[in-house]
Structures are given as structure tokens and as C-alpha cells.
Amino acid sequence: MTHPDFADISPSRRLRLETLIRLRWLAVAGQSITVIVVTFWLAFPLHVVASSVLIALLAAVNFYLAVRYSPAHRLTPLAALALLAFDLGQLMALLFITGGLANPFAPLVCVPVIISSSAQPIRYSLFLGVLAVAGITALAFTPFPLPWFPGTLLVVPPILTAGFWIAIVSTTAFAAFYSYRVSLEASELSDALTATELVLQREKHLSQLDGLAAAAAHELGTPLATISVVAKEMQRELGEDPRFGEDVQLLRSQSERCRDILRRLTTLSAEDEEHMRHLPLSSLLEEVMAPHREFGIRLTLIEESDRAGEPIGQRNAGILYGLGNLLENAVDHAREEVTVTVRHTADQVKLVIEDDGEGYAPDILLRIGEPYVTKRQRDERAGGLGLGLFIAKTLLERSGARLTFGNRQGGAPGARVEVEWPRARMDVKLAK
């Protein structure tokens, strides 16, 4: 999995140049309008030439990039850092000659850092953040006064300048960290959902192998029939030949055996197609539990409702994988026993998986089901719960289930997972 913590970002997640170009044109327009309003409307004394040169420099670089590269071009982390550092430097220079931290637009220095923290590797964002803090500090010592009414000198007290510095630095740090966390979580979620789709595709592929076997049997039937006819003709001609008679007989018997095998495959697929497509709840649970009975942990199934009225649903690869993963986690963390309790009514189907292990730590319960939650307890015996549990939760919720994670009731040690479906989502008759 890749995310912005890593040194190199996947090309599909790099900053798109066109995005930066559009933001820069917005900056050019905003800076130009501000200079025009301050100079000609408010009539404040302003270093118009120097300000215009800085704005024109940003516009020229932006125009060159727009002409030189295609709109779909994505920047390498180093190139993006260079452009964002240039934007930060241009804005710092403009603020430096227009009052420094006293300028009401000074908080805009946090924008390049926020952009970097949302899409760049962390080391590049930290470097840009250090540059921003250094520039903000330099703005506190600017010798240029804030443009104000002619004949009036606006003097900002040092303590107020210090307050501006603290406010802007803290705003930059907080906004950048918040942007980084949101971007990181979105990246992790995207990776986890991609893994979920891959798992679901694999499960569906496995469930379709019976159809592939029937198709193979059908396709191989014709050439094997031809081989059988030829073998009969050869036996008729060479059956009494001491050199080839035995070999011809073997050829014919083996071709007939192949045809019998393919005939059984075809018949099995035709007879069991309905069984494979429709799965009673008890059969579903047995299919989920069977692979986990050989690990030294006792698996107990408690059926609180009569099988005569159990729901019969469509075979769902997501449900099979999701329940299998929950059961595997329970077996991994159990000491001796895992209990699966199932109950179905006219309105709902409920499944409870309990183990006698250490259970979930309180802080883990708050984040259970998120990608990359890796431990039940803080000690190493707890094992991993990361992406697999997220995939299981996602697949089961897609099937209409509601999951509740907790610890066993009554003070008994161990974890407890409740999975509950509306009866209509698990019963073919009601689904119709």
C-alpha cells in the first residue's frame, strides 16, 4: 500500500500541474486586484513597481508552465516542492514590502504548506513548513510599513507583532497537519477498498469454477468422441495383432474413461447448479466453519432456531469471505473455544461469534473496522486485525448486514462480534 508517508508517491496520486496553474492564476488575479484597490481606490502609498514585478514574475512562470506542459502532466515530488517553494517565496517577498505580519493577507502563507501536506511525501512538507516559519519570522522584522492613509504612520506594537507571528505559525501547523491526516486517511481507505474489490473478485472467480468445469467438459466432449471412434476402428483392424492389440485396447479404455469423467462433470454441474446457487443458512455456516476445525480450537455451533424455517439465500462470495475472516480472527485469538450462535426470526437473521481470548482493548473498540487497525490488545500475543477485518466488515455491510464489535457479556473474557441481517436480505423467497 502506498500513501503520502512514503518517500515516493504513486504517479496517479501526484499533484497535477494544471491544478497548481489554476490556483496560481487565482493568486495572480487576487494580488493584482489588491494592488489596484490599495493604490487607486484607497490611495495608500504602495511600492507599485516592486509589487507589479513580483506579480508579473508569478504570471510569467505560470504562463510558461501552461505552454510547456500538457494539462494532464503530473509533477514529481521534487518538482512540486520547487513550485510550491517558489510560490511561498513570491508571496513572502510581496508581504515583506507591504507591511510584513501587519498585512491582513499574511495568513495566506499557509496555503502552499497545506497543499504540500495533502499530496506530498511528509519530508517535503516538513521542509516547506520550515521555510514558511523562517519566512514568517523574517516578515516580523520588515522595515517597510503597512500602506496606510497618507501622512499617517501605522505603528504595530511588538507584542502585537509577536501575537501575529504565533497566530500565523500555529494556523499553518494546525491546517497542514489536519490536511495531512485527512489525505492520509483517504489514501488508506482508497487502498483498502481496492483490496476489498480484489478479494471479492477472487471469491467470485472461485465460485464460478464449477461453470468453467462444465464448459470444459462440453468443449472436450467432441474431440474425445472422435478419439473413441478412431480407437474402435483401430481395435477392429489391429485387435488380434500381438504387437499393437494390447495398446489399442488400452487407448480405447482410457478414452472411454475420459468420456465418463467429463459426463459426470457435466451431470454434476447440471444437478448441483441450483444447490450451488442457493445456500441454506446452516449449509452456509458449515461451509464457513469447516476450514477452521483443524487448528486445535473447538468450534461450537449453537442454533437457537429450528432449521425447518431457516432462510435459504443466494450464494454470496462476500458473505462467505466476510464471515470466514471474522471466524478466522476469533480462532487466532481464542484459547480453547469459539462459539457461533445463530438465530433467525421472521424479520431478522442474527449471528454471534464469540471467543475466549483476551478480547478487544477499549481504544481499539473505538476504531474497529478501520483500515490498518493492527492489534486487539497492546501486547504482542493479540495478533493482527488490520486490513482483513476492514475487508470483512465492508463486504458484510454491502450484503445488508449490521456489525457490532465488543467483548463478551457477564465479565467473561473474550471478544464478541454480532452480525445481523434483515431476513429479506438472506432469504430468496422474501427477496423476490
Side-chain angles (χ1 to χ4, degrees):
M1 302 297 174
T2 58
H3 50 67
D5 261 344
F6 292 175
D8 296 316
I9 295 181
S10 170
S12 62
R13 292 180 180 166
R14 292 175 180 172
L15 274 173
R16 200 157 61 109
L17 179 59
E18 186 179 19
T19 302
L20 282 184
I21 289 175
R22 290 180 177 178
L23 290 174
R24 286 166 142 224
W25 284 130
L26 184 62
V28 169
Q31 293 173 6
S32 301
I33 292 173
T34 302
V35 170
I36 292 173
V37 169
V38 171
T39 302
F40 298 104
W41 184 28
L42 299 177
F44 289 171
L46 182 70
H47 298 279
V48 179
V49 175
S51 300
S52 300
V53 169
L54 289 172
I55 296 173
L57 179 61
L58 178 61
V61 173
N62 213 35
F63 179 77
Y64 169 79
L65 292 174
V67 174
R68 174 67 177 79
Y69 297 98
S70 68
H73 179 74
R74 292 189 178 272
L75 299 166
T76 64
L78 191 58
L81 174 65
L83 290 180
L84 291 172
F86 174 82
D87 294 345
L88 182 63
Q90 187 267 352
L91 181 58
M92 290 288 187
L94 195 58
L95 291 171
F96 189 79
I97 63 175
T98 55
L101 295 184
N103 191 310
F105 294 100
L108 289 176
V109 298
C110 69
V111 173
V113 182
I114 294 174
I115 295 174
S116 177
S117 64
S118 66
Q120 288 279 87
I122 186 64
R123 69 171 187 265
Y124 292 100
S125 299
L126 288 175
F127 177 75
L128 196 65
V130 171
L131 287 182
V133 172
I136 294 169
T137 304
L139 292 179
F141 298 98
T142 178
F144 298 96
L146 179 70
W148 202 241
F149 294 100
T152 303
L153 180 63
L154 182 62
V155 179
V156 180
I159 190 162
L160 189 57
T161 300
F164 289 158
W165 186 92
I166 294 173
I168 295 173
V169 169
S170 60
T171 299
T172 302
F174 174 79
F177 178 76
Y178 181 82
S179 175
Y180 164 75
R181 286 301 307 172
V182 170
S183 176
L184 179 60
E185 290 175 6
S187 176
E188 290 180 344
L189 183 60
S190 175
D191 287 341
L193 289 175
T194 299
T196 302
E197 294 297 335
L198 292 175
V199 168
L200 185 57
Q201 290 177 13
R202 176 180 175 273
E203 293 299 315
K204 288 181 177 179
H205 174 72
L206 291 176
S207 68
Q208 292 169 353
L209 287 180
D210 60 316
L212 294 176
H218 176 74
E219 294 296 327
L220 291 174
T222 300
L224 277 175
T226 303
I227 294 173
S228 180
V229 171
V230 174
K232 289 180 181 179
E233 294 298 327
M234 293 177 65
Q235 185 179 27
R236 184 178 299 112
E237 296 294 332
L238 302 174
E240 303 301 329
D241 192 315
R243 295 175 300 168
F244 305 110
E246 186 177 347
D247 292 337
V248 171
Q249 177 62 33
L250 179 63
L251 176 63
R252 182 180 177 186
S253 65
Q254 293 303 307
S255 66
E256 290 296 333
R257 182 184 178 191
C258 288
R259 293 185 66 187
D260 289 339
I261 293 173
L262 294 180
R263 189 181 302 111
R264 286 198 299 270
L265 282 175
T266 306
T267 305
L268 179 65
S269 178
E271 292 177 350
D272 291 357
E273 184 178 0
E274 191 68 18
H275 168 73
M276 295 296 292
R277 187 165 62 245
H278 294 161
L279 200 62
L281 181 61
S282 56
S283 299
L284 182 147
L285 293 177
E286 181 57 34
E287 186 170 334
V288 170
M289 296 174 67
H292 305 286
R293 296 188 184 278
E294 306 298 329
F295 295 97
I297 300 297
R298 185 168 65 256
L299 289 182
T300 303
L301 176 63
I302 301 176
E303 297 181 87
E304 297 183 349
S305 304
D306 191 357
R307 284 193 180 187
E310 68 178 340
I312 300 177
Q314 297 276 2
R315 173 177 288 272
N316 187 313
I319 293 177
L320 291 170
Y321 180 87
L323 292 179
N325 187 274
L326 294 180
L327 191 61
E328 180 182 356
N329 280 328
V331 170
D332 287 344
H333 295 87
R335 291 190 177 95
E336 297 179 357
E337 182 181 22
V338 173
T339 303
V340 179
T341 306
V342 60
R343 180 175 67 252
H344 51 83
T345 65
D347 299 320
Q348 68 173 202
V349 177
K350 186 173 182 179
L351 187 71
V352 179
I353 301 175
E354 296 178 305
D355 64 69
D356 58 355
E358 297 180 355
Y360 298 112
D363 58 331
I364 295 299
L365 276 176
L366 298 176
R367 301 180 56 235
I368 201 73
E370 294 181 8
Y372 313 110
V373 177
T374 57
K375 292 183 181 179
R376 279 194 180 185
Q377 299 284 359
R378 295 190 182 278
D379 56 52
E380 293 302 323
R381 295 182 301 165
L385 284 176
L387 193 56
L389 187 57
F390 169 83
I391 293 174
K393 182 173 182 290
T394 301
L395 292 177
L396 289 171
E397 287 177 344
R398 286 184 180 183
S399 72
R402 182 172 61 88
L403 280 76
T404 304
F405 295 89
N407 291 321
R408 296 177 68 182
Q409 301 172 350
R416 173 187 176 94
V417 182
E418 297 182 5
V419 188
E420 185 177 331
W421 291 271
R423 173 74 180 241
R425 300 296 295 267
M426 293 290 286
D427 199 322
V428 175
K429 300 184 295 294
L430 294 178
K432 292 179 180 179

